[in-house]
Amino acid sequence: MTQPASIAGVDSITLGDALRVAGSADFARWEDQIRRTGGCSNPIHLTGWTLTKDRTTGETLHHYSTEKEPGGRLRIACGNRRASRCPSCAYTYAGDTYHLIRAGLAGDDRRDIPVTVRDHPRVFATLTAPSFGPVHNRPDSGRCRCGTRHSDDDPALGTPLDPDSYDYAGAVLFNNHAGQLWQRFTVRLRREIASRAGLTQRELREVCRISFGKVAEFQKRGAIHFHAVVRIDGPGGPEDAPPYWARTQLLDDAIRAAAVHAYTTITVPAAGDEPTRTIRWGTQLDIRPIKALGAGEELTEQAVAAYVAKYATKAAETTGTLDRRIGELAELDRHEVPDHTRCLIRACRDLNALYPDRRLWAWAHMLGFRGHFSTKSRRYSVTLGALRKTRADYRAAEQAAALGLEYLEPDTVLVLADWQFAGHGHSPGESLLASTIARDLQLNRETAREALHDLRAQEGASR
Ligand SMILES: [Zn+2]
Ligand SMILES: [Zn+2]
């Protein structure tokens, strides 16, 4: 078969399909749907209808059906948080995570997080994995142990100096237990704080609450590590003042002690040729106090929130692994997975039979890690769900306004609806057009953000 001719990297079949879509009678409506999804690359298709009636009179106020929509379908955003799956939905997720972490740091009156949380002791802590064998790196001295000065985009970075002696099994077992190790760390941290304050656990709960907002990130070597905002609140949560003894230094000390405590370890029993292993944090522990913006400090609330949001969408893809479950090892060849990552995936497969309850093969595409990428304790901040709801409410209000229904109180109208899943995705031409829409929207957002930034800078200068 001959290759189709291509224009600017787009093959003629895709181009032809794009022209068909763009030339169709309902193109404007299709474009509007995709714009509302933010240029989602894999929208969910729905068929169905809604009927809005006045509760008292029974009068039909509004009737909507997908019958008249392009292809008889309504397309909604997929909501995937992975940039490799859907860049625009991942962008939205990153934005939500940013607001979530930032609200927990700086407060947000619209979301019931008082600005006084800024005065609570809080730090940004990074807990890392231990060493599983030396890897190529860029030390401060400049020269790696192999004798080379690696450039920062050298694919050798993070790969073992000696693959034969690298502990791949230890690496994936660490990833696999990282979530539980974090759990143990938080339990121990409460004890360390209590003992420094001279209180029992129960007494501690009566005077304060420890809250966490954390994200997991993969290092180049394929080991998971955690970044967390740890904060001490009063007993009622963010709105309550913390006790007088709760200081940043005490929190810092307690975190250091909790991270290395014997309780903060997990024993993995010997199986087959595998020795008994003790899973614990690595010796690299970074703890920094977080200051309010403008305090002249290096690590600001904004910087932390931006950092956390950035990693919330990256998952394990930085290591070149697949972004979905692996069916068989042959898939790794088709996707040109790098050798080091491949060894980690193979270790998951080999260990799976020895530790079946750890489900290592099912999580092999995550190099054994089975936890969530971003989590927070109940009182840290608003939830992602609440942020999504805010957006949904906004859209609903927008839609109601467009239909002239905005003056109606929600409980005076009756909404009947019937929706069915009708598939997902785009045709090749739709996909091309959707990515153009996504780029457009992205550009608009960036321009708006720059303008806002300039405006704030001007305000700051005129003060
Ligand atoms: Zn999407
Ligand atoms: Zn090297």
Side-chain angles (χ1 to χ4, degrees):
M1 204 177 93
T2 54
Q3 286 289 342
S6 85
I7 300 170
V10 180
D11 65 73
S12 58
I13 293 168
T14 304
L15 211 55
D17 188 43
L19 288 171
R20 174 190 65 80
V21 178
S24 66
D26 48 14
F27 174 67
R29 180 58 197 154
W30 179 86
E31 192 186 18
D32 184 46
Q33 281 194 8
I34 300 307
R35 214 165 255 287
R36 278 169 189 274
T37 69
C40 176
S41 61
N42 186 24
I44 293 161
H45 299 197
L46 298 172
T47 57
W49 52 265
T50 66
L51 190 60
T52 309
K53 282 178 175 290
D54 188 306
R55 249 183 215 284
T56 33
T57 65
E59 180 196 353
T60 297
L61 299 168
H62 177 240
H63 176 234
Y64 168 81
S65 156
T66 54
E67 261 168 42
K68 294 205 175 69
E69 296 287 2
R73 290 154 174 215
L74 177 68
R75 291 153 186 86
I76 61 170
C78 73
N80 200 299
R81 75 178 163 71
R82 290 187 178 181
S84 64
R85 289 285 189 89
C86 183
S88 71
C89 290
Y91 183 90
T92 308
Y93 180 87
D96 282 354
T97 306
Y98 173 84
H99 290 296
L100 168 91
I101 296 291
R102 198 177 174 287
L105 286 171
D108 187 336
D109 2 327
R110 284 164 305 166
R111 303 192 177 105
D112 294 332
I113 308 282
V115 292
T116 49
V117 294
R118 300 189 136 176
D119 305 325
H120 296 195
R122 61 215 177 132
V123 298
F124 187 53
T126 302
L127 290 110
T128 59
S131 171
F132 304 106
V135 294
H136 292 282
N137 62 0
R138 284 159 46 93
D140 292 340
S141 66
R143 207 173 283 279
C144 174
R145 282 169 69 168
C146 73
T148 326
R149 284 172 190 274
H150 297 289
S151 62
D152 62 356
D153 58 352
D154 190 336
L157 287 173
T159 65
L161 288 165
D162 177 19
D164 291 338
S165 66
Y166 195 78
D167 186 10
Y168 292 103
V172 297
L173 283 168
F174 176 87
N175 289 347
N176 190 253
H177 288 84
Q180 279 145 286
L181 197 59
W182 169 264
Q183 206 52 46
R184 291 202 152 227
F185 163 74
T186 61
V187 170
R188 188 63 220 174
L189 178 60
R190 290 188 174 91
R191 290 187 181 270
E192 295 290 343
I193 290 171
S195 80
R196 277 164 181 71
L199 302 172
T200 64
Q201 289 272 80
R202 180 192 295 255
E203 288 165 341
L204 183 76
R205 269 198 300 276
E206 282 163 13
V207 295
C208 74
R209 235 182 243 261
I210 320 296
S211 68
F212 304 90
K214 87 166 199 302
V215 288
E217 180 194 346
F218 274 95
Q219 293 172 305
K220 279 220 167 66
R221 62 182 169 134
I224 204 93
H225 67 299
F226 290 119
H227 297 288
V229 177
V230 187
R231 192 181 68 209
I232 305 182
D233 293 333
E239 56 275 10
D240 261 13
Y244 70 93
W245 50 258
R247 304 235 181 270
T248 306
Q249 190 55 50
L250 178 141
L251 182 57
D252 184 304
D253 289 348
I255 290 174
R256 285 177 202 282
V260 298
H261 194 274
Y263 176 78
T264 313
T265 58
I266 294 166
T267 303
V268 178
D273 290 339
E274 297 301 325
T276 302
R277 282 188 167 85
T278 304
I279 309 285
R280 55 163 58 93
W281 299 112
T283 48
Q284 268 189 8
L285 174 64
D286 186 55
I287 303 173
R288 299 181 204 192
I290 302 164
K291 302 292 177 184
L293 183 68
E297 298 290 329
E298 270 181 74
L299 195 63
T300 63
E301 292 151 351
Q302 276 78 356
V304 171
Y307 190 84
V308 168
K310 179 176 155 213
Y311 286 103
T313 58
K314 275 174 74 175
E317 290 141 25
T318 47
T319 63
T321 182
L322 304 184
D323 62 1
R324 61 208 78 201
R325 290 211 166 159
I326 301 166
E328 48 173 13
L329 283 177
E331 285 176 37
L332 306 183
D333 296 329
R334 289 200 289 278
H335 295 276
E336 292 174 14
V337 172
D339 283 343
H340 177 60
T341 306
R342 196 179 284 245
C343 290
L344 291 164
I345 291 171
R346 199 171 295 138
C348 287
R349 187 201 56 180
D350 296 345
L351 292 166
N352 195 54
L354 300 175
Y355 304 104
D357 56 326
R358 301 306 309 176
R359 307 192 63 231
L360 280 144
W361 180 236
W363 294 102
H365 63 299
M366 300 281 260
L367 313 181
F369 179 60
R370 48 196 275 182
H372 294 290
F373 274 90
S374 84
T375 54
K376 55 167 200 62
S377 52
R378 202 163 51 82
R379 295 311 307 271
Y380 173 75
S381 175
V382 285
T383 61
L384 280 175
L387 286 172
R388 290 203 188 100
K389 186 167 182 315
T390 307
R391 253 203 332 274
D393 287 351
Y394 174 74
R395 294 234 171 101
E398 212 181 27
Q399 167 119 21
L403 299 167
L405 296 172
E406 83 271 46
Y407 58 89
L408 291 165
E409 291 295 318
D411 59 353
T412 62
V413 295
L414 178 69
V415 180
L416 303 168
D418 179 33
W419 292 107
Q420 253 118 43
F421 177 74
H424 65 95
H426 286 305
S427 73
E430 287 175 339
S431 181
L432 179 69
L433 294 166
S435 68
T436 312
I437 292 172
R439 259 200 310 278
D440 256 21
L441 292 172
Q442 171 86 16
L443 199 65
N444 288 347
R445 277 188 293 239
E446 274 163 18
T447 311
R449 197 163 34 194
E450 273 164 30
L452 193 65
H453 185 263
D454 289 350
L455 193 69
R456 288 210 177 121
Q458 278 170 20
E459 279 173 6
S462 65
R463 217 169 268 149

